[in-house]
Amino acid sequence: MTTLVEITDFDDFTSIVMDDGKANALSFDMLSALNAALDQAEAAGKCIVLAGRPGRFSAGFDLTVMAKQDADTLRLLRSGADLALRLFDAPVPVVGAVSGHAIAMGALL
């Protein structure tokens, strides 16, 4: 499995970069990886820079889950909303380094 999120600690900030090799869809695995990276970044106590690889920030929620319109869809929506609230209420500044598409939930991040 590919590493979905790379976290790098710099002197003045912590970088979190999403890269699923495709559109950086917010799947359950991506959301879990982002939350784990945020745990680590918040513990460092520095500004967080959230990015995608060049040309791709995030295409939003995983459409394979969204198309099902079932309990998993609701769970994904809730997990994404929880992530958005976590970023909004983070104990350190969070900066979005968006150098590509940011669609739907990706734009909300």
Side-chain angles (χ1 to χ4, degrees), residues 9-104:
D9 206 18
F10 293 95
D11 289 339
D12 297 327
F13 66 95
T14 301
S15 168
I16 298 173
V17 180
M18 300 177 284
D19 188 357
D20 68 0
K22 298 178 261 178
N24 292 333
L26 298 173
S27 63
F28 290 114
D29 289 340
M30 178 65 83
L31 291 169
S32 178
L34 283 169
N35 277 302
L38 286 168
D39 289 343
Q40 185 178 337
E42 288 173 1
K46 302 175 200 170
C47 176
I48 297 170
V49 177
L50 178 62
R53 71 179 184 285
R56 300 274 193 262
F57 184 71
S58 175
F61 288 122
D62 182 345
L63 294 179
T64 61
V65 177
M66 296 301 288
K68 292 178 187 177
Q69 299 183 12
D70 62 6
D72 280 342
T73 304
L74 293 176
R75 190 165 58 94
L76 187 66
L77 289 168
R78 169 52 59 196
S79 297
D82 289 344
L83 175 64
L85 289 171
R86 181 176 184 178
L87 292 171
F88 178 75
D89 197 33
V92 296
V94 178
V95 176
V98 181
S99 65
H101 69 243
I103 301 168

